[in-house]
Coordinates of all heavy atoms in Angstrom, one line a residue:
M1 N -22.8 29.3 -5.1 CA -22.5 28.1 -5.9 C -23.3 28.1 -7.2 O -23.3 27.2 -7.9 CB -22.7 26.9 -5.1 CG -21.9 26.8 -3.8 SD -20.1 26.6 -4.2 CE -20.1 24.9 -4.7
S2 N -24.1 29.1 -7.4 CA -25.0 29.1 -8.6 C -24.3 29.2 -9.9 O -24.7 28.9 -10.9 CB -26.1 30.1 -8.4 OG -25.5 31.4 -8.4
A3 N -23.0 29.8 -9.8 CA -22.3 30.0 -11.0 C -21.3 28.9 -11.2 O -20.4 29.0 -12.0 CB -21.5 31.3 -10.8
A4 N -21.5 27.8 -10.6 CA -20.6 26.6 -10.7 C -20.6 26.2 -12.2 O -21.7 26.0 -12.8 CB -21.0 25.5 -9.8
A5 N -19.5 26.0 -12.8 CA -19.4 25.6 -14.1 C -19.7 24.1 -14.2 O -19.5 23.3 -13.2 CB -18.0 25.9 -14.7
E6 N -20.1 23.7 -15.4 CA -20.3 22.2 -15.5 C -18.9 21.5 -15.5 O -18.0 22.0 -16.1 CB -21.0 22.0 -16.9 CG -22.4 22.4 -16.9 CD -23.1 21.9 -18.1 OE1 -22.7 20.8 -18.7 OE2 -24.1 22.5 -18.6
V7 N -18.9 20.4 -14.9 CA -17.7 19.6 -14.8 C -18.0 18.3 -15.4 O -19.1 17.8 -15.5 CB -17.1 19.5 -13.4 CG1 -16.7 20.9 -12.9 CG2 -18.2 18.9 -12.5
L8 N -16.9 17.6 -15.7 CA -17.1 16.2 -16.2 C -17.8 15.4 -15.2 O -17.4 15.4 -14.0 CB -15.7 15.6 -16.6 CG -15.0 16.3 -17.7 CD1 -13.6 15.7 -17.9 CD2 -15.8 16.2 -19.0
S9 N -18.7 14.6 -15.6 CA -19.5 13.8 -14.7 C -18.8 12.4 -14.5 O -19.3 11.6 -13.8 CB -20.9 13.6 -15.2 OG -20.9 13.0 -16.5
T10 N -17.7 12.3 -15.2 CA -17.0 10.9 -15.1 C -15.9 10.9 -14.0 O -15.2 9.9 -13.9 CB -16.4 10.6 -16.5 OG1 -15.5 11.6 -16.9 CG2 -17.5 10.4 -17.5
V11 N -15.8 12.0 -13.3 CA -14.8 12.0 -12.3 C -15.2 11.0 -11.2 O -16.3 11.0 -10.7 CB -14.7 13.4 -11.6 CG1 -13.7 13.4 -10.5 CG2 -14.2 14.4 -12.7
A12 N -14.3 10.2 -10.9 CA -14.5 9.1 -9.9 C -14.6 9.8 -8.5 O -13.9 10.7 -8.2 CB -13.4 8.1 -9.9
P13 N -15.6 9.3 -7.7 CA -15.6 9.8 -6.3 C -14.4 9.5 -5.5 O -13.8 8.5 -5.7 CB -16.9 9.1 -5.7 CG -17.0 7.9 -6.6 CD -16.5 8.2 -7.9
R14 N -14.0 10.4 -4.7 CA -12.8 10.2 -3.9 C -13.2 9.2 -2.8 O -14.3 9.2 -2.3 CB -12.4 11.5 -3.3 CG -11.9 12.5 -4.4 CD -11.3 13.7 -3.7 NE -10.9 14.7 -4.8 CZ -10.4 15.9 -4.5 NH1 -10.3 16.3 -3.3 NH2 -9.9 16.6 -5.5
P15 N -12.1 8.5 -2.4 CA -12.4 7.5 -1.2 C -12.8 8.3 0.0 O -12.4 9.4 0.3 CB -11.0 6.9 -1.0 CG -10.3 7.1 -2.3 CD -10.8 8.4 -2.9
R16 N -13.7 7.7 0.7 CA -14.2 8.3 1.9 C -14.0 7.3 3.1 O -13.7 6.2 2.8 CB -15.7 8.7 1.8 CG -15.9 9.7 0.7 CD -17.4 10.1 0.7 NE -17.6 11.1 -0.4 CZ -18.8 11.6 -0.6 NH1 -19.9 11.2 0.1 NH2 -19.0 12.5 -1.6
C17 N -14.3 7.8 4.2 CA -14.1 6.9 5.4 C -15.0 5.7 5.3 O -14.7 4.6 5.8 CB -14.5 7.7 6.7 SG -13.3 9.0 7.0
S18 N -16.1 5.8 4.6 CA -17.0 4.7 4.4 C -16.4 3.6 3.6 O -16.9 2.5 3.6 CB -18.3 5.1 3.8 OG -18.1 5.7 2.5
D19 N -15.3 3.9 2.9 CA -14.7 2.9 2.1 C -13.8 2.0 2.9 O -13.3 0.9 2.5 CB -13.8 3.5 1.0 CG -14.7 4.2 0.0 OD1 -15.9 3.7 -0.2 OD2 -14.3 5.1 -0.7
L20 N -13.5 2.4 4.2 CA -12.7 1.6 5.0 C -13.4 0.3 5.4 O -14.6 0.4 5.7 CB -12.3 2.4 6.3 CG -11.4 3.6 6.0 CD1 -11.2 4.4 7.3 CD2 -10.0 3.2 5.5
P21 N -12.7 -0.8 5.4 CA -13.4 -2.1 5.7 C -13.7 -2.2 7.2 O -13.1 -1.4 8.0 CB -12.3 -3.1 5.2 CG -11.0 -2.4 5.4 CD -11.3 -1.0 5.1
S22 N -14.5 -3.1 7.5 CA -14.8 -3.4 8.9 C -14.4 -4.9 9.1 O -14.3 -5.7 8.2 CB -16.2 -3.2 9.2 OG -17.0 -4.0 8.4
C23 N -14.1 -5.2 10.3 CA -13.6 -6.5 10.7 C -14.7 -7.6 10.4 O -15.9 -7.4 10.9 CB -13.2 -6.5 12.2 SG -12.7 -8.2 12.7
P24 N -14.4 -8.6 9.7 CA -15.4 -9.6 9.4 C -15.8 -10.5 10.6 O -16.7 -11.2 10.6 CB -14.8 -10.5 8.3 CG -13.3 -10.3 8.4 CD -13.2 -8.9 9.0
V25 N -15.0 -10.4 11.6 CA -15.2 -11.2 12.8 C -16.0 -10.4 13.9 O -17.1 -10.9 14.3 CB -13.9 -11.6 13.5 CG1 -14.1 -12.3 14.8 CG2 -13.1 -12.5 12.5
C26 N -15.6 -9.2 14.2 CA -16.3 -8.4 15.2 C -17.0 -7.2 14.7 O -17.6 -6.4 15.5 CB -15.4 -8.1 16.4 SG -14.1 -6.9 15.9
A27 N -16.8 -6.9 13.4 CA -17.4 -5.7 12.7 C -16.9 -4.4 13.2 O -17.5 -3.4 13.0 CB -18.9 -5.8 12.9
D28 N -15.8 -4.4 13.9 CA -15.1 -3.2 14.3 C -14.6 -2.5 13.1 O -14.2 -3.1 12.1 CB -14.0 -3.5 15.3 CG -13.6 -2.3 16.0 OD1 -14.4 -1.3 16.1 OD2 -12.4 -2.2 16.6
S29 N -14.6 -1.2 13.1 CA -14.1 -0.4 11.9 C -12.6 -0.4 11.9 O -12.0 -0.1 12.9 CB -14.7 1.0 12.0 OG -16.1 1.0 11.9
M30 N -12.1 -0.6 10.7 CA -10.6 -0.4 10.5 C -10.3 1.1 10.4 O -11.0 1.8 9.7 CB -10.2 -1.2 9.3 CG -10.5 -2.7 9.3 SD -9.6 -3.6 10.5 CE -10.8 -3.8 11.8
V31 N -9.2 1.5 11.0 CA -8.9 2.9 10.9 C -7.8 3.1 9.9 O -7.8 4.0 9.1 CB -8.4 3.4 12.3 CG1 -8.0 4.8 12.2 CG2 -9.5 3.2 13.3
A32 N -6.7 2.3 10.0 CA -5.6 2.4 9.0 C -5.0 1.1 8.8 O -5.0 0.2 9.6 CB -4.6 3.3 9.6
A33 N -4.6 0.9 7.5 CA -4.0 -0.4 7.1 C -2.6 -0.5 7.8 O -1.8 0.4 8.0 CB -3.8 -0.4 5.6
E34 N -2.3 -1.8 8.2 CA -1.0 -2.1 8.8 C 0.1 -1.9 7.8 O 1.2 -1.4 8.1 CB -1.0 -3.5 9.3 CG -1.9 -3.7 10.6 CD -1.1 -3.3 11.8 OE1 0.1 -3.6 11.9 OE2 -1.8 -2.7 12.7
A35 N -0.2 -2.4 6.6 CA 0.8 -2.3 5.5 C 0.2 -2.3 4.2 O -1.0 -2.7 4.1 CB 1.8 -3.5 5.7
S36 N 0.9 -2.0 3.2 CA 0.4 -2.0 1.8 C 1.5 -2.6 0.9 O 2.6 -2.5 1.2 CB 0.0 -0.6 1.3 OG 1.1 0.2 1.3
A37 N 1.0 -3.2 -0.2 CA 2.0 -3.8 -1.1 C 1.4 -3.7 -2.5 O 0.2 -3.9 -2.7 CB 2.3 -5.2 -0.7
Y38 N 2.3 -3.6 -3.5 CA 1.8 -3.5 -4.8 C 1.7 -4.9 -5.4 O 2.7 -5.7 -5.5 CB 2.8 -2.7 -5.7 CG 2.8 -1.3 -5.3 CD1 3.9 -0.7 -4.5 CD2 1.8 -0.4 -5.6 CE1 3.9 0.6 -4.2 CE2 1.8 0.9 -5.3 CZ 2.8 1.4 -4.5 OH 2.9 2.7 -4.2
V39 N 0.5 -5.3 -5.8 CA 0.3 -6.6 -6.4 C 0.8 -6.6 -7.8 O 1.4 -7.5 -8.4 CB -1.1 -7.1 -6.3 CG1 -1.4 -8.4 -7.0 CG2 -1.6 -7.1 -4.8
S40 N 0.4 -5.5 -8.5 CA 0.9 -5.2 -9.8 C 0.9 -3.7 -10.0 O 0.7 -3.0 -9.0 CB -0.1 -5.8 -10.8 OG -1.3 -5.2 -10.9
D41 N 1.1 -3.2 -11.2 CA 1.1 -1.8 -11.4 C -0.2 -1.1 -11.1 O -0.2 0.1 -10.9 CB 1.5 -1.5 -12.8 CG 3.0 -1.7 -13.1 OD1 3.8 -1.9 -12.1 OD2 3.4 -1.8 -14.2
H42 N -1.2 -1.9 -11.1 CA -2.6 -1.3 -11.0 C -3.3 -1.8 -9.8 O -4.5 -1.5 -9.7 CB -3.4 -1.5 -12.3 CG -2.7 -0.9 -13.5 ND1 -2.7 0.5 -13.7 CD2 -2.0 -1.5 -14.5 CE1 -2.0 0.7 -14.8 NE2 -1.6 -0.4 -15.3
V43 N -2.7 -2.6 -9.0 CA -3.4 -3.2 -7.9 C -2.6 -3.1 -6.6 O -1.4 -3.4 -6.6 CB -3.8 -4.7 -8.1 CG1 -4.5 -5.3 -6.9 CG2 -4.6 -4.8 -9.4
I44 N -3.2 -2.6 -5.6 CA -2.5 -2.5 -4.3 C -3.3 -3.3 -3.3 O -4.5 -3.3 -3.3 CB -2.5 -1.0 -3.8 CG1 -1.6 -0.2 -4.8 CG2 -1.9 -0.9 -2.4 CD1 -1.6 1.3 -4.4
S45 N -2.6 -4.0 -2.5 CA -3.2 -4.8 -1.4 C -2.9 -4.2 -0.1 O -1.8 -3.6 0.1 CB -2.8 -6.3 -1.4 OG -1.4 -6.4 -1.1
Y46 N -3.8 -4.2 0.8 CA -3.7 -3.6 2.1 C -3.8 -4.7 3.2 O -4.7 -5.5 3.1 CB -4.7 -2.5 2.4 CG -4.4 -1.2 1.6 CD1 -5.2 -1.0 0.5 CD2 -3.4 -0.4 2.0 CE1 -4.9 0.2 -0.3 CE2 -3.2 0.8 1.2 CZ -3.9 1.1 0.1 OH -3.7 2.2 -0.6
L47 N -3.0 -4.7 4.1 CA -3.1 -5.6 5.3 C -3.7 -4.9 6.4 O -3.3 -3.8 6.8 CB -1.7 -6.1 5.7 CG -1.7 -6.9 7.0 CD1 -2.5 -8.2 6.9 CD2 -0.2 -7.2 7.4
W48 N -4.8 -5.4 6.9 CA -5.5 -4.8 8.0 C -5.5 -5.8 9.2 O -5.6 -7.0 9.1 CB -7.0 -4.6 7.6 CG -7.2 -3.9 6.4 CD1 -7.2 -4.4 5.1 CD2 -7.4 -2.4 6.2 NE1 -7.4 -3.3 4.2 CE2 -7.6 -2.2 4.9 CE3 -7.5 -1.4 7.2 CZ2 -7.8 -0.9 4.4 CZ3 -7.7 -0.1 6.7 CH2 -7.8 0.1 5.3
T49 N -5.3 -5.2 10.4 CA -5.4 -6.0 11.6 C -6.3 -5.3 12.6 O -6.2 -4.1 12.8 CB -4.0 -6.0 12.2 OG1 -3.1 -6.6 11.3 CG2 -4.0 -6.9 13.5
C50 N -7.3 -6.1 13.0 CA -8.3 -5.5 13.9 C -7.7 -5.3 15.3 O -7.1 -6.2 15.9 CB -9.5 -6.5 14.0 SG -10.8 -5.9 15.1
D51 N -7.9 -4.0 15.7 CA -7.4 -3.7 17.1 C -8.2 -4.4 18.2 O -7.8 -4.5 19.3 CB -7.4 -2.2 17.3 CG -6.4 -1.5 16.5 OD1 -5.4 -2.1 16.1 OD2 -6.6 -0.3 16.1
N52 N -9.4 -4.7 17.8 CA -10.4 -5.3 18.8 C -10.1 -6.7 19.1 O -10.0 -7.2 20.2 CB -11.8 -5.0 18.4 CG -12.8 -5.3 19.5 OD1 -12.6 -4.9 20.6 ND2 -13.9 -5.9 19.2
C53 N -10.1 -7.5 18.0 CA -9.9 -9.0 18.1 C -8.7 -9.5 17.6 O -8.4 -10.7 17.7 CB -11.2 -9.7 17.5 SG -11.2 -9.6 15.7
G54 N -7.9 -8.7 16.8 CA -6.6 -9.1 16.3 C -6.7 -9.9 15.0 O -5.7 -10.3 14.5
Y55 N -7.9 -10.0 14.5 CA -8.0 -10.7 13.2 C -7.4 -9.9 12.1 O -7.5 -8.7 12.0 CB -9.5 -10.9 12.9 CG -9.8 -11.6 11.6 CD1 -9.7 -13.0 11.5 CD2 -10.1 -10.9 10.4 CE1 -9.9 -13.7 10.4 CE2 -10.4 -11.6 9.2 CZ -10.3 -13.0 9.2 OH -10.5 -13.7 8.1
G56 N -6.7 -10.6 11.2 CA -6.0 -9.9 10.1 C -6.5 -10.3 8.8 O -6.9 -11.5 8.6
F57 N -6.6 -9.4 7.8 CA -7.1 -9.8 6.5 C -6.5 -8.8 5.5 O -6.0 -7.7 5.8 CB -8.6 -9.8 6.4 CG -9.3 -8.5 6.8 CD1 -9.7 -7.6 5.8 CD2 -9.5 -8.1 8.1 CE1 -10.4 -6.4 6.1 CE2 -10.1 -6.9 8.4 CZ -10.5 -6.1 7.4
V58 N -6.7 -9.2 4.2 CA -6.1 -8.4 3.2 C -7.2 -7.9 2.2 O -8.1 -8.7 1.9 CB -5.0 -9.2 2.4 CG1 -4.5 -8.4 1.2 CG2 -3.8 -9.5 3.3
T59 N -7.1 -6.7 1.8 CA -8.0 -6.2 0.7 C -7.2 -5.8 -0.5 O -6.0 -5.4 -0.3 CB -8.9 -5.1 1.2 OG1 -8.0 -4.0 1.6 CG2 -9.8 -5.5 2.4
K60 N -7.8 -5.9 -1.6 CA -7.1 -5.4 -2.9 C -7.8 -4.3 -3.5 O -9.1 -4.3 -3.5 CB -6.9 -6.6 -3.8 CG -6.0 -7.7 -3.3 CD -5.8 -8.8 -4.4 CE -4.9 -9.8 -3.8 NZ -4.7 -10.9 -4.8
H61 N -7.1 -3.3 -4.0 CA -7.7 -2.2 -4.6 C -7.1 -1.8 -5.9 O -5.8 -1.8 -6.0 CB -7.5 -0.9 -3.6 CG -8.1 -1.2 -2.3 ND1 -9.4 -0.8 -1.9 CD2 -7.6 -1.8 -1.2 CE1 -9.6 -1.1 -0.7 NE2 -8.5 -1.7 -0.2
A62 N -7.9 -1.6 -6.9 CA -7.4 -1.1 -8.2 C -7.0 0.3 -8.1 O -7.8 1.1 -7.6 CB -8.4 -1.4 -9.3
V63 N -5.9 0.7 -8.7 CA -5.5 2.1 -8.8 C -5.5 2.5 -10.2 O -5.1 1.7 -11.1 CB -4.1 2.3 -8.1 CG1 -4.2 2.1 -6.6 CG2 -3.1 1.4 -8.7
K64 N -6.0 3.6 -10.5 CA -6.1 4.1 -11.9 C -4.9 4.8 -12.4 O -4.6 4.8 -13.6 CB -7.3 5.0 -12.0 CG -8.6 4.3 -11.7 CD -9.8 5.2 -11.9 CE -11.1 4.5 -11.6 NZ -12.3 5.4 -11.7
Q65 N -4.1 5.3 -11.5 CA -2.9 6.0 -11.9 C -1.7 5.2 -11.6 O -1.6 4.5 -10.6 CB -2.8 7.4 -11.1 CG -3.8 8.4 -11.5 CD -3.6 9.7 -10.9 OE1 -2.9 9.8 -9.8 NE2 -4.2 10.7 -11.4
R66 N -0.8 5.2 -12.6 CA 0.4 4.4 -12.4 C 1.3 5.0 -11.3 O 1.5 6.2 -11.3 CB 1.2 4.3 -13.7 CG 2.5 3.6 -13.6 CD 3.2 3.5 -14.9 NE 2.4 2.7 -15.9 CZ 2.7 1.4 -16.1 NH1 3.6 0.8 -15.4 NH2 2.0 0.7 -16.9
I67 N 1.7 4.2 -10.4 CA 2.5 4.7 -9.3 C 4.0 4.8 -9.8 O 4.5 3.8 -10.3 CB 2.4 3.8 -8.1 CG1 1.0 3.7 -7.7 CG2 3.3 4.4 -6.9 CD1 0.3 5.0 -7.2
V68 N 4.6 5.9 -9.6 CA 6.0 6.0 -9.9 C 6.9 5.4 -8.8 O 6.8 5.7 -7.7 CB 6.4 7.5 -10.1 CG1 7.9 7.6 -10.4 CG2 5.6 8.1 -11.2
R69 N 7.6 4.4 -9.3 CA 8.5 3.7 -8.3 C 9.8 4.4 -8.0 O 10.3 5.1 -8.9 CB 8.8 2.3 -8.8 CG 7.5 1.4 -8.9 CD 7.9 0.1 -9.5 NE 6.6 -0.7 -9.5 CZ 6.6 -1.9 -10.1 NH1 7.6 -2.4 -10.7 NH2 5.5 -2.6 -10.1
N70 N 10.3 4.2 -6.9 CA 11.5 4.9 -6.5 C 12.7 4.3 -7.2 O 12.8 3.1 -7.4 CB 11.8 4.8 -5.0 CG 10.7 5.6 -4.3 OD1 10.3 6.6 -4.8 ND2 10.4 5.1 -3.1
Ligands
LIG1 ZN1 -12.2 -7.7 14.9

């Protein structure tokens, strides 16, 4: 890896598992969103439902790339 070329330092880090939310009620980790919806061209909301206690909540995420609609 010593020959690695310099790369742009502005590349955003990719989402990791640590970005997944946890339940505000029981702190259980969310595995996958129940559903997603586009709030606008640049914002996506996710619906999460806790498998442990059944609590549901929504998170919103900004997306940098425009999503091509069908
Ligand atoms: Zn919960």
Side-chain angles (χ1 to χ4, degrees):
M1 297 296 283
S2 60
E6 288 189 31
V7 295
L8 293 175
S9 61
T10 54
V11 175
R14 294 181 180 180
R16 297 182 180 181
C17 292
S18 60
D19 291 332
L20 293 173
S22 58
C23 178
V25 175
C26 69
D28 195 20
S29 298
M30 300 293 105
V31 178
E34 288 278 319
S36 62
Y38 295 104
V39 178
S40 70
D41 286 347
H42 301 286
V43 180
I44 296 178
S45 66
Y46 290 102
L47 170 64
W48 306 86
T49 301
C50 179
D51 289 336
N52 191 43
C53 71
Y55 182 80
F57 60 100
V58 173
T59 59
K60 292 182 180 180
H61 303 266
V63 291
K64 294 180 180 179
Q65 292 184 338
R66 178 179 291 268
I67 305 297
V68 177
R69 293 178 179 170
N70 293 329

